[in-house]
Amino acid sequence: MTGLYDSFNRPISYLRISVTDRCNLRCIYCMPEGGVSLVRHEDILTYEEICAVARAAAELGITKIRLTGGEPLVRSGLPHLIRMLSKIDAIDDISLTTNGTLLSHHSAELKSAGLKRLNVSLDTLCSERFKLITRVGDNLDEVLEGIEIAKTVGLNPVKINMVVMAGINDDEVTEFAAKTVEEGWHVRFIEMMPVSHGNVMSRHFVPADEIKKRLEVLGKLEPGPPIVGNGPARYFRFPDATGTVGFITPVSEHFCFQCNRLRLTADGKLLPCLLSHEEIDLKRALRQDMSTEDLKELFEEAVARKPLRHFLAQGHPPPDRPFCRAGG
Ligand code: SAM
């Protein structure tokens, strides 16, 4: 058996890298209104350090990288990082998760640097609500323009991720789903997790089954083929739609049995699981000039420490590590 496997025989091929804990939005389920305490600039991994980690990971069997944050596009020179990562032979897929606010300016450069595909977090199609949910943004139009430009430059697929909240945006699920028919959008409905600020918001939780039921007014959802990506979504399609409807159910039906990933925080901690307290400090190793072989050993340690299930599935309290630091 080649490649990287954890103690439960799950193949580990995917690394999510948070390039910054800074974000230009303050989404109500993600951050407190005043923001979170930020990592010092000097504690954030440099692009060279991120690439050193990615090279070690690739030698072990990681083939896919997703860049996230915070908001990855607020960190300057992101295309430069993508260019460096795409030179690593074994890495065959580089993707990005973004709130889309800066996308229209950067799509072309991201694509030419080697970015393949994109997830855009978008929770409403209504300007007033966009302001309410993000607490900052008056820029829904910029996000929508960014999505179109990203498609035009050839980023494919562009998936739209919506965190559904009862009484806040749940009345828009049919409008989002209709876009899979009218405009070929790939929409994924995400259950809000009781972590980060999601804890405070838990009364707004909507299970995916309920969302699916509400979409019946648009027609029958048929199981669809998985679209490119390594994610945990279950995909469906309306007859004649070119786009897809996906459901991501970390709460009502966890998908830990197919977990294939590790996460690297902006300050260089390797997380065996988004929702565990465990972290392995790679920054210290990198700054003590450890060799690639030493980094690989730390990586293998993180893989060995991957839990079978995350805390929600085990009834443990959540880690108080904000999503923007861990890279949601
Ligand atoms: N700024 C980028 C963005 O907006 O996509 C990347 C970082 S953001 C933390 C990544 C994803 O985490 C977003 O899709 C966001 O909706 C999701 N997220 C944050 N807090 C969440 C929560 N409590 N439950 C579910 N998803 C959450």
Side-chain angles (χ1 to χ4, degrees), residues 269-305:
K269 306 287 193 312
L270 193 58
L271 310 182
C273 166
L274 172 65
L275 302 177
S276 90
H277 297 267
E278 301 244 26
E279 349 185 290
I280 289 165
D281 191 355
L282 294 191
K283 177 168 59 88
R284 209 166 39 163
L286 286 159
R287 295 191 181 173
Q288 286 171 349
D289 274 339
M290 278 197 179
S291 65
T292 305
E293 287 312 308
D294 293 327
L295 280 177
K296 281 162 71 176
E297 263 176 42
L298 292 175
F299 236 88
E300 283 170 327
E301 188 186 328
V303 171
R305 280 159 66 175

PDB file of all heavy atoms in Angstrom, residues 269-305:
ATOM      1  N   LYS A 269       0.444  25.387  13.067  1.00  0.00           N
ATOM      2  CA  LYS A 269       0.064  24.196  13.833  1.00  0.00           C
ATOM      3  C   LYS A 269      -0.616  23.216  12.883  1.00  0.00           C
ATOM      4  O   LYS A 269      -1.512  23.594  12.129  1.00  0.00           O
ATOM      5  CB  LYS A 269      -0.914  24.551  14.966  1.00  0.00           C
ATOM      6  CG  LYS A 269      -0.425  25.640  15.899  1.00  0.00           C
ATOM      7  CD  LYS A 269       0.663  25.134  16.800  1.00  0.00           C
ATOM      8  CE  LYS A 269       1.008  26.051  17.961  1.00  0.00           C
ATOM      9  NZ  LYS A 269       1.218  27.453  17.627  1.00  0.00           N
ATOM     10  N   LEU A 270      -0.202  21.971  12.960  1.00  0.00           N
ATOM     11  CA  LEU A 270      -0.830  20.949  12.126  1.00  0.00           C
ATOM     12  C   LEU A 270      -1.932  20.281  12.947  1.00  0.00           C
ATOM     13  O   LEU A 270      -1.686  19.792  14.045  1.00  0.00           O
ATOM     14  CB  LEU A 270       0.238  19.928  11.721  1.00  0.00           C
ATOM     15  CG  LEU A 270      -0.107  18.947  10.614  1.00  0.00           C
ATOM     16  CD1 LEU A 270      -0.486  19.662   9.317  1.00  0.00           C
ATOM     17  CD2 LEU A 270       1.096  18.029  10.352  1.00  0.00           C
ATOM     18  N   LEU A 271      -3.164  20.314  12.409  1.00  0.00           N
ATOM     19  CA  LEU A 271      -4.314  19.778  13.152  1.00  0.00           C
ATOM     20  C   LEU A 271      -4.726  18.433  12.553  1.00  0.00           C
ATOM     21  O   LEU A 271      -5.068  18.361  11.372  1.00  0.00           O
ATOM     22  CB  LEU A 271      -5.509  20.726  13.052  1.00  0.00           C
ATOM     23  CG  LEU A 271      -5.286  22.208  13.368  1.00  0.00           C
ATOM     24  CD1 LEU A 271      -6.611  22.970  13.263  1.00  0.00           C
ATOM     25  CD2 LEU A 271      -4.694  22.366  14.766  1.00  0.00           C
ATOM     26  N   PRO A 272      -4.734  17.398  13.367  1.00  0.00           N
ATOM     27  CA  PRO A 272      -5.214  16.096  12.867  1.00  0.00           C
ATOM     28  C   PRO A 272      -6.694  16.167  12.479  1.00  0.00           C
ATOM     29  O   PRO A 272      -7.152  15.442  11.616  1.00  0.00           O
ATOM     30  CB  PRO A 272      -5.021  15.157  14.059  1.00  0.00           C
ATOM     31  CG  PRO A 272      -4.026  15.826  14.951  1.00  0.00           C
ATOM     32  CD  PRO A 272      -4.207  17.301  14.749  1.00  0.00           C
ATOM     33  N   CYS A 273      -7.464  17.075  13.127  1.00  0.00           N
ATOM     34  CA  CYS A 273      -8.907  17.165  12.888  1.00  0.00           C
ATOM     35  C   CYS A 273      -9.326  18.603  13.189  1.00  0.00           C
ATOM     36  O   CYS A 273      -8.828  19.193  14.156  1.00  0.00           O
ATOM     37  CB  CYS A 273      -9.606  16.177  13.827  1.00  0.00           C
ATOM     38  SG  CYS A 273     -11.394  16.411  13.993  1.00  0.00           S
ATOM     39  N   LEU A 274     -10.240  19.138  12.380  1.00  0.00           N
ATOM     40  CA  LEU A 274     -10.706  20.517  12.604  1.00  0.00           C
ATOM     41  C   LEU A 274     -11.264  20.670  14.012  1.00  0.00           C
ATOM     42  O   LEU A 274     -11.100  21.693  14.656  1.00  0.00           O
ATOM     43  CB  LEU A 274     -11.795  20.862  11.573  1.00  0.00           C
ATOM     44  CG  LEU A 274     -12.536  22.188  11.753  1.00  0.00           C
ATOM     45  CD1 LEU A 274     -11.598  23.379  11.572  1.00  0.00           C
ATOM     46  CD2 LEU A 274     -13.705  22.304  10.782  1.00  0.00           C
ATOM     47  N   LEU A 275     -11.951  19.621  14.458  1.00  0.00           N
ATOM     48  CA  LEU A 275     -12.678  19.713  15.710  1.00  0.00           C
ATOM     49  C   LEU A 275     -12.033  18.873  16.809  1.00  0.00           C
ATOM     50  O   LEU A 275     -12.703  18.153  17.518  1.00  0.00           O
ATOM     51  CB  LEU A 275     -14.132  19.293  15.486  1.00  0.00           C
ATOM     52  CG  LEU A 275     -14.884  20.105  14.427  1.00  0.00           C
ATOM     53  CD1 LEU A 275     -16.284  19.564  14.239  1.00  0.00           C
ATOM     54  CD2 LEU A 275     -14.930  21.570  14.792  1.00  0.00           C
ATOM     55  N   SER A 276     -10.699  18.939  16.916  1.00  0.00           N
ATOM     56  CA  SER A 276     -10.080  18.296  18.071  1.00  0.00           C
ATOM     57  C   SER A 276      -9.141  19.303  18.715  1.00  0.00           C
ATOM     58  O   SER A 276      -8.804  20.330  18.129  1.00  0.00           O
ATOM     59  CB  SER A 276      -9.334  17.019  17.674  1.00  0.00           C
ATOM     60  OG  SER A 276      -8.002  17.314  17.350  1.00  0.00           O
ATOM     61  N   HIS A 277      -8.720  19.009  19.928  1.00  0.00           N
ATOM     62  CA  HIS A 277      -7.838  19.926  20.642  1.00  0.00           C
ATOM     63  C   HIS A 277      -6.382  19.724  20.252  1.00  0.00           C
ATOM     64  O   HIS A 277      -5.531  20.518  20.592  1.00  0.00           O
ATOM     65  CB  HIS A 277      -7.991  19.718  22.155  1.00  0.00           C
ATOM     66  CG  HIS A 277      -9.371  20.026  22.645  1.00  0.00           C
ATOM     67  ND1 HIS A 277      -9.738  21.256  23.124  1.00  0.00           N
ATOM     68  CD2 HIS A 277     -10.492  19.263  22.678  1.00  0.00           C
ATOM     69  CE1 HIS A 277     -11.025  21.231  23.456  1.00  0.00           C
ATOM     70  NE2 HIS A 277     -11.499  20.035  23.188  1.00  0.00           N
ATOM     71  N   GLU A 278      -6.100  18.638  19.553  1.00  0.00           N
ATOM     72  CA  GLU A 278      -4.705  18.292  19.248  1.00  0.00           C
ATOM     73  C   GLU A 278      -4.100  19.233  18.220  1.00  0.00           C
ATOM     74  O   GLU A 278      -4.750  19.592  17.247  1.00  0.00           O
ATOM     75  CB  GLU A 278      -4.675  16.882  18.650  1.00  0.00           C
ATOM     76  CG  GLU A 278      -5.240  15.839  19.542  1.00  0.00           C
ATOM     77  CD  GLU A 278      -4.180  14.832  19.934  1.00  0.00           C
ATOM     78  OE1 GLU A 278      -2.985  15.180  19.943  1.00  0.00           O
ATOM     79  OE2 GLU A 278      -4.571  13.698  20.222  1.00  0.00           O
ATOM     80  N   GLU A 279      -2.841  19.618  18.409  1.00  0.00           N
ATOM     81  CA  GLU A 279      -2.121  20.361  17.386  1.00  0.00           C
ATOM     82  C   GLU A 279      -0.644  19.990  17.476  1.00  0.00           C
ATOM     83  O   GLU A 279      -0.145  19.722  18.561  1.00  0.00           O
ATOM     84  CB  GLU A 279      -2.220  21.877  17.534  1.00  0.00           C
ATOM     85  CG  GLU A 279      -3.197  22.452  18.508  1.00  0.00           C
ATOM     86  CD  GLU A 279      -3.264  23.978  18.469  1.00  0.00           C
ATOM     87  OE1 GLU A 279      -2.292  24.652  18.901  1.00  0.00           O
ATOM     88  OE2 GLU A 279      -4.290  24.469  18.004  1.00  0.00           O
ATOM     89  N   ILE A 280       0.025  19.996  16.340  1.00  0.00           N
ATOM     90  CA  ILE A 280       1.463  19.708  16.328  1.00  0.00           C
ATOM     91  C   ILE A 280       2.164  20.934  15.754  1.00  0.00           C
ATOM     92  O   ILE A 280       1.797  21.415  14.684  1.00  0.00           O
ATOM     93  CB  ILE A 280       1.726  18.441  15.490  1.00  0.00           C
ATOM     94  CG1 ILE A 280       1.204  17.248  16.287  1.00  0.00           C
ATOM     95  CG2 ILE A 280       3.203  18.284  15.164  1.00  0.00           C
ATOM     96  CD1 ILE A 280       1.062  16.013  15.502  1.00  0.00           C
ATOM     97  N   ASP A 281       3.138  21.430  16.498  1.00  0.00           N
ATOM     98  CA  ASP A 281       3.752  22.705  16.131  1.00  0.00           C
ATOM     99  C   ASP A 281       4.807  22.520  15.039  1.00  0.00           C
ATOM    100  O   ASP A 281       5.906  22.036  15.306  1.00  0.00           O
ATOM    101  CB  ASP A 281       4.393  23.306  17.391  1.00  0.00           C
ATOM    102  CG  ASP A 281       4.817  24.737  17.161  1.00  0.00           C
ATOM    103  OD1 ASP A 281       4.702  25.239  16.016  1.00  0.00           O
ATOM    104  OD2 ASP A 281       5.258  25.375  18.135  1.00  0.00           O
ATOM    105  N   LEU A 282       4.474  22.906  13.821  1.00  0.00           N
ATOM    106  CA  LEU A 282       5.453  22.812  12.744  1.00  0.00           C
ATOM    107  C   LEU A 282       6.292  24.080  12.646  1.00  0.00           C
ATOM    108  O   LEU A 282       7.401  24.055  12.136  1.00  0.00           O
ATOM    109  CB  LEU A 282       4.764  22.584  11.394  1.00  0.00           C
ATOM    110  CG  LEU A 282       4.026  21.275  11.183  1.00  0.00           C
ATOM    111  CD1 LEU A 282       3.657  21.120   9.712  1.00  0.00           C
ATOM    112  CD2 LEU A 282       4.844  20.092  11.638  1.00  0.00           C
ATOM    113  N   LYS A 283       5.743  25.191  13.126  1.00  0.00           N
ATOM    114  CA  LYS A 283       6.494  26.462  13.010  1.00  0.00           C
ATOM    115  C   LYS A 283       7.818  26.356  13.765  1.00  0.00           C
ATOM    116  O   LYS A 283       8.862  26.738  13.255  1.00  0.00           O
ATOM    117  CB  LYS A 283       5.663  27.627  13.549  1.00  0.00           C
ATOM    118  CG  LYS A 283       6.436  28.948  13.518  1.00  0.00           C
ATOM    119  CD  LYS A 283       5.570  30.145  13.777  1.00  0.00           C
ATOM    120  CE  LYS A 283       4.861  30.121  15.082  1.00  0.00           C
ATOM    121  NZ  LYS A 283       5.437  30.625  16.266  1.00  0.00           N
ATOM    122  N   ARG A 284       7.730  25.807  14.978  1.00  0.00           N
ATOM    123  CA  ARG A 284       8.961  25.681  15.759  1.00  0.00           C
ATOM    124  C   ARG A 284       9.973  24.833  14.996  1.00  0.00           C
ATOM    125  O   ARG A 284      11.139  25.176  14.884  1.00  0.00           O
ATOM    126  CB  ARG A 284       8.652  25.052  17.116  1.00  0.00           C
ATOM    127  CG  ARG A 284       9.624  25.516  18.165  1.00  0.00           C
ATOM    128  CD  ARG A 284       9.150  25.188  19.514  1.00  0.00           C
ATOM    129  NE  ARG A 284       8.518  23.855  19.476  1.00  0.00           N
ATOM    130  CZ  ARG A 284       8.292  23.136  20.541  1.00  0.00           C
ATOM    131  NH1 ARG A 284       8.608  23.589  21.704  1.00  0.00           N
ATOM    132  NH2 ARG A 284       7.715  21.960  20.473  1.00  0.00           N
ATOM    133  N   ALA A 285       9.474  23.735  14.423  1.00  0.00           N
ATOM    134  CA  ALA A 285      10.369  22.854  13.664  1.00  0.00           C
ATOM    135  C   ALA A 285      10.982  23.602  12.481  1.00  0.00           C
ATOM    136  O   ALA A 285      12.179  23.526  12.233  1.00  0.00           O
ATOM    137  CB  ALA A 285       9.580  21.643  13.178  1.00  0.00           C
ATOM    138  N   LEU A 286      10.117  24.354  11.781  1.00  0.00           N
ATOM    139  CA  LEU A 286      10.603  25.084  10.592  1.00  0.00           C
ATOM    140  C   LEU A 286      11.655  26.117  10.998  1.00  0.00           C
ATOM    141  O   LEU A 286      12.650  26.306  10.300  1.00  0.00           O
ATOM    142  CB  LEU A 286       9.438  25.803   9.914  1.00  0.00           C
ATOM    143  CG  LEU A 286       8.473  24.919   9.126  1.00  0.00           C
ATOM    144  CD1 LEU A 286       7.134  25.620   8.943  1.00  0.00           C
ATOM    145  CD2 LEU A 286       9.068  24.541   7.779  1.00  0.00           C
ATOM    146  N   ARG A 287      11.438  26.760  12.137  1.00  0.00           N
ATOM    147  CA  ARG A 287      12.348  27.850  12.518  1.00  0.00           C
ATOM    148  C   ARG A 287      13.585  27.325  13.242  1.00  0.00           C
ATOM    149  O   ARG A 287      14.489  28.080  13.535  1.00  0.00           O
ATOM    150  CB  ARG A 287      11.583  28.907  13.313  1.00  0.00           C
ATOM    151  CG  ARG A 287      10.546  29.530  12.364  1.00  0.00           C
ATOM    152  CD  ARG A 287       9.856  30.746  12.839  1.00  0.00           C
ATOM    153  NE  ARG A 287       8.896  31.143  11.793  1.00  0.00           N
ATOM    154  CZ  ARG A 287       8.010  32.105  11.909  1.00  0.00           C
ATOM    155  NH1 ARG A 287       7.947  32.798  13.020  1.00  0.00           N
ATOM    156  NH2 ARG A 287       7.190  32.392  10.915  1.00  0.00           N
ATOM    157  N   GLN A 288      13.581  26.027  13.516  1.00  0.00           N
ATOM    158  CA  GLN A 288      14.818  25.427  14.048  1.00  0.00           C
ATOM    159  C   GLN A 288      15.548  24.711  12.918  1.00  0.00           C
ATOM    160  O   GLN A 288      16.376  23.837  13.157  1.00  0.00           O
ATOM    161  CB  GLN A 288      14.481  24.422  15.154  1.00  0.00           C
ATOM    162  CG  GLN A 288      14.070  25.098  16.435  1.00  0.00           C
ATOM    163  CD  GLN A 288      13.531  24.100  17.453  1.00  0.00           C
ATOM    164  OE1 GLN A 288      13.273  22.932  17.141  1.00  0.00           O
ATOM    165  NE2 GLN A 288      13.341  24.573  18.670  1.00  0.00           N
ATOM    166  N   ASP A 289      15.174  25.061  11.698  1.00  0.00           N
ATOM    167  CA  ASP A 289      15.834  24.490  10.521  1.00  0.00           C
ATOM    168  C   ASP A 289      15.796  22.975  10.466  1.00  0.00           C
ATOM    169  O   ASP A 289      16.757  22.336  10.082  1.00  0.00           O
ATOM    170  CB  ASP A 289      17.307  24.948  10.463  1.00  0.00           C
ATOM    171  CG  ASP A 289      17.394  26.284   9.766  1.00  0.00           C
ATOM    172  OD1 ASP A 289      16.445  26.612   9.028  1.00  0.00           O
ATOM    173  OD2 ASP A 289      18.394  26.985   9.973  1.00  0.00           O
ATOM    174  N   MET A 290      14.699  22.405  10.898  1.00  0.00           N
ATOM    175  CA  MET A 290      14.580  20.948  10.808  1.00  0.00           C
ATOM    176  C   MET A 290      14.547  20.521   9.339  1.00  0.00           C
ATOM    177  O   MET A 290      14.083  21.269   8.481  1.00  0.00           O
ATOM    178  CB  MET A 290      13.294  20.489  11.491  1.00  0.00           C
ATOM    179  CG  MET A 290      13.428  20.356  12.979  1.00  0.00           C
ATOM    180  SD  MET A 290      12.060  19.353  13.549  1.00  0.00           S
ATOM    181  CE  MET A 290      12.374  19.277  15.280  1.00  0.00           C
ATOM    182  N   SER A 291      14.989  19.313   9.085  1.00  0.00           N
ATOM    183  CA  SER A 291      15.056  18.822   7.705  1.00  0.00           C
ATOM    184  C   SER A 291      13.664  18.384   7.232  1.00  0.00           C
ATOM    185  O   SER A 291      12.733  18.231   8.034  1.00  0.00           O
ATOM    186  CB  SER A 291      15.991  17.616   7.640  1.00  0.00           C
ATOM    187  OG  SER A 291      15.411  16.582   8.391  1.00  0.00           O
ATOM    188  N   THR A 292      13.561  18.155   5.930  1.00  0.00           N
ATOM    189  CA  THR A 292      12.295  17.643   5.379  1.00  0.00           C
ATOM    190  C   THR A 292      11.945  16.310   6.044  1.00  0.00           C
ATOM    191  O   THR A 292      10.774  16.036   6.332  1.00  0.00           O
ATOM    192  CB  THR A 292      12.424  17.454   3.850  1.00  0.00           C
ATOM    193  OG1 THR A 292      12.831  18.695   3.300  1.00  0.00           O
ATOM    194  CG2 THR A 292      11.137  17.020   3.210  1.00  0.00           C
ATOM    195  N   GLU A 293      12.955  15.501   6.314  1.00  0.00           N
ATOM    196  CA  GLU A 293      12.692  14.202   6.959  1.00  0.00           C
ATOM    197  C   GLU A 293      12.054  14.397   8.337  1.00  0.00           C
ATOM    198  O   GLU A 293      11.118  13.693   8.717  1.00  0.00           O
ATOM    199  CB  GLU A 293      13.987  13.377   7.095  1.00  0.00           C
ATOM    200  CG  GLU A 293      14.498  12.800   5.780  1.00  0.00           C
ATOM    201  CD  GLU A 293      13.423  12.105   4.942  1.00  0.00           C
ATOM    202  OE1 GLU A 293      12.729  11.227   5.481  1.00  0.00           O
ATOM    203  OE2 GLU A 293      13.258  12.454   3.753  1.00  0.00           O
ATOM    204  N   ASP A 294      12.555  15.406   9.086  1.00  0.00           N
ATOM    205  CA  ASP A 294      11.987  15.676  10.416  1.00  0.00           C
ATOM    206  C   ASP A 294      10.535  16.155  10.277  1.00  0.00           C
ATOM    207  O   ASP A 294       9.655  15.762  11.047  1.00  0.00           O
ATOM    208  CB  ASP A 294      12.808  16.753  11.145  1.00  0.00           C
ATOM    209  CG  ASP A 294      14.209  16.257  11.480  1.00  0.00           C
ATOM    210  OD1 ASP A 294      14.343  15.057  11.740  1.00  0.00           O
ATOM    211  OD2 ASP A 294      15.142  17.072  11.457  1.00  0.00           O
ATOM    212  N   LEU A 295      10.304  17.025   9.283  1.00  0.00           N
ATOM    213  CA  LEU A 295       8.931  17.513   9.067  1.00  0.00           C
ATOM    214  C   LEU A 295       8.004  16.347   8.730  1.00  0.00           C
ATOM    215  O   LEU A 295       6.865  16.282   9.195  1.00  0.00           O
ATOM    216  CB  LEU A 295       8.898  18.511   7.904  1.00  0.00           C
ATOM    217  CG  LEU A 295       9.334  19.947   8.193  1.00  0.00           C
ATOM    218  CD1 LEU A 295       9.313  20.767   6.909  1.00  0.00           C
ATOM    219  CD2 LEU A 295       8.406  20.587   9.232  1.00  0.00           C
ATOM    220  N   LYS A 296       8.522  15.438   7.927  1.00  0.00           N
ATOM    221  CA  LYS A 296       7.710  14.275   7.538  1.00  0.00           C
ATOM    222  C   LYS A 296       7.326  13.449   8.771  1.00  0.00           C
ATOM    223  O   LYS A 296       6.212  12.941   8.875  1.00  0.00           O
ATOM    224  CB  LYS A 296       8.456  13.413   6.513  1.00  0.00           C
ATOM    225  CG  LYS A 296       8.373  14.016   5.109  1.00  0.00           C
ATOM    226  CD  LYS A 296       9.403  13.504   4.156  1.00  0.00           C
ATOM    227  CE  LYS A 296       9.242  12.117   3.696  1.00  0.00           C
ATOM    228  NZ  LYS A 296      10.295  11.769   2.674  1.00  0.00           N
ATOM    229  N   GLU A 297       8.277  13.349   9.707  1.00  0.00           N
ATOM    230  CA  GLU A 297       7.965  12.590  10.927  1.00  0.00           C
ATOM    231  C   GLU A 297       6.828  13.257  11.708  1.00  0.00           C
ATOM    232  O   GLU A 297       5.932  12.590  12.225  1.00  0.00           O
ATOM    233  CB  GLU A 297       9.206  12.506  11.819  1.00  0.00           C
ATOM    234  CG  GLU A 297       9.942  11.205  11.631  1.00  0.00           C
ATOM    235  CD  GLU A 297      11.213  11.141  12.430  1.00  0.00           C
ATOM    236  OE1 GLU A 297      11.222  11.572  13.601  1.00  0.00           O
ATOM    237  OE2 GLU A 297      12.214  10.674  11.851  1.00  0.00           O
ATOM    238  N   LEU A 298       6.875  14.605  11.780  1.00  0.00           N
ATOM    239  CA  LEU A 298       5.808  15.320  12.499  1.00  0.00           C
ATOM    240  C   LEU A 298       4.465  15.116  11.797  1.00  0.00           C
ATOM    241  O   LEU A 298       3.414  14.980  12.417  1.00  0.00           O
ATOM    242  CB  LEU A 298       6.147  16.807  12.608  1.00  0.00           C
ATOM    243  CG  LEU A 298       7.336  17.129  13.520  1.00  0.00           C
ATOM    244  CD1 LEU A 298       7.680  18.617  13.468  1.00  0.00           C
ATOM    245  CD2 LEU A 298       7.025  16.722  14.962  1.00  0.00           C
ATOM    246  N   PHE A 299       4.537  15.107  10.478  1.00  0.00           N
ATOM    247  CA  PHE A 299       3.328  14.874   9.687  1.00  0.00           C
ATOM    248  C   PHE A 299       2.739  13.496   9.994  1.00  0.00           C
ATOM    249  O   PHE A 299       1.534  13.334  10.191  1.00  0.00           O
ATOM    250  CB  PHE A 299       3.692  14.924   8.198  1.00  0.00           C
ATOM    251  CG  PHE A 299       2.889  15.912   7.466  1.00  0.00           C
ATOM    252  CD1 PHE A 299       3.292  17.235   7.371  1.00  0.00           C
ATOM    253  CD2 PHE A 299       1.684  15.550   6.884  1.00  0.00           C
ATOM    254  CE1 PHE A 299       2.530  18.158   6.722  1.00  0.00           C
ATOM    255  CE2 PHE A 299       0.910  16.477   6.237  1.00  0.00           C
ATOM    256  CZ  PHE A 299       1.335  17.780   6.148  1.00  0.00           C
ATOM    257  N   GLU A 300       3.627  12.517  10.041  1.00  0.00           N
ATOM    258  CA  GLU A 300       3.159  11.146  10.310  1.00  0.00           C
ATOM    259  C   GLU A 300       2.564  11.049  11.711  1.00  0.00           C
ATOM    260  O   GLU A 300       1.586  10.328  11.931  1.00  0.00           O
ATOM    261  CB  GLU A 300       4.315  10.162  10.113  1.00  0.00           C
ATOM    262  CG  GLU A 300       4.537   9.926   8.633  1.00  0.00           C
ATOM    263  CD  GLU A 300       5.805   9.146   8.314  1.00  0.00           C
ATOM    264  OE1 GLU A 300       6.803   9.292   9.043  1.00  0.00           O
ATOM    265  OE2 GLU A 300       5.796   8.413   7.320  1.00  0.00           O
ATOM    266  N   GLU A 301       3.146  11.853  12.623  1.00  0.00           N
ATOM    267  CA  GLU A 301       2.606  11.859  13.988  1.00  0.00           C
ATOM    268  C   GLU A 301       1.168  12.417  13.979  1.00  0.00           C
ATOM    269  O   GLU A 301       0.260  11.874  14.608  1.00  0.00           O
ATOM    270  CB  GLU A 301       3.503  12.727  14.864  1.00  0.00           C
ATOM    271  CG  GLU A 301       3.160  12.661  16.327  1.00  0.00           C
ATOM    272  CD  GLU A 301       3.981  13.665  17.140  1.00  0.00           C
ATOM    273  OE1 GLU A 301       5.134  13.957  16.776  1.00  0.00           O
ATOM    274  OE2 GLU A 301       3.405  14.165  18.132  1.00  0.00           O
ATOM    275  N   ALA A 302       0.973  13.507  13.202  1.00  0.00           N
ATOM    276  CA  ALA A 302      -0.379  14.101  13.124  1.00  0.00           C
ATOM    277  C   ALA A 302      -1.365  13.101  12.531  1.00  0.00           C
ATOM    278  O   ALA A 302      -2.500  12.968  12.995  1.00  0.00           O
ATOM    279  CB  ALA A 302      -0.345  15.381  12.285  1.00  0.00           C
ATOM    280  N   VAL A 303      -0.928  12.388  11.512  1.00  0.00           N
ATOM    281  CA  VAL A 303      -1.806  11.399  10.877  1.00  0.00           C
ATOM    282  C   VAL A 303      -2.164  10.300  11.875  1.00  0.00           C
ATOM    283  O   VAL A 303      -3.325   9.891  11.990  1.00  0.00           O
ATOM    284  CB  VAL A 303      -1.134  10.814   9.608  1.00  0.00           C
ATOM    285  CG1 VAL A 303      -1.927   9.627   9.073  1.00  0.00           C
ATOM    286  CG2 VAL A 303      -1.020  11.893   8.539  1.00  0.00           C
ATOM    287  N   ALA A 304      -1.149   9.876  12.641  1.00  0.00           N
ATOM    288  CA  ALA A 304      -1.396   8.807  13.623  1.00  0.00           C
ATOM    289  C   ALA A 304      -2.363   9.283  14.704  1.00  0.00           C
ATOM    290  O   ALA A 304      -3.067   8.477  15.314  1.00  0.00           O
ATOM    291  CB  ALA A 304      -0.077   8.375  14.256  1.00  0.00           C
ATOM    292  N   ARG A 305      -2.400  10.614  14.938  1.00  0.00           N
ATOM    293  CA  ARG A 305      -3.272  11.125  16.003  1.00  0.00           C
ATOM    294  C   ARG A 305      -4.650  11.527  15.493  1.00  0.00           C
ATOM    295  O   ARG A 305      -5.447  12.104  16.234  1.00  0.00           O
ATOM    296  CB  ARG A 305      -2.587  12.314  16.683  1.00  0.00           C
ATOM    297  CG  ARG A 305      -1.547  11.802  17.689  1.00  0.00           C
ATOM    298  CD  ARG A 305      -0.487  12.795  18.055  1.00  0.00           C
ATOM    299  NE  ARG A 305      -0.967  13.941  18.784  1.00  0.00           N
ATOM    300  CZ  ARG A 305      -0.166  14.885  19.285  1.00  0.00           C
ATOM    301  NH1 ARG A 305       1.146  14.787  19.141  1.00  0.00           N
ATOM    302  NH2 ARG A 305      -0.662  15.912  19.914  1.00  0.00           N
TER     303      ARG A 305
END
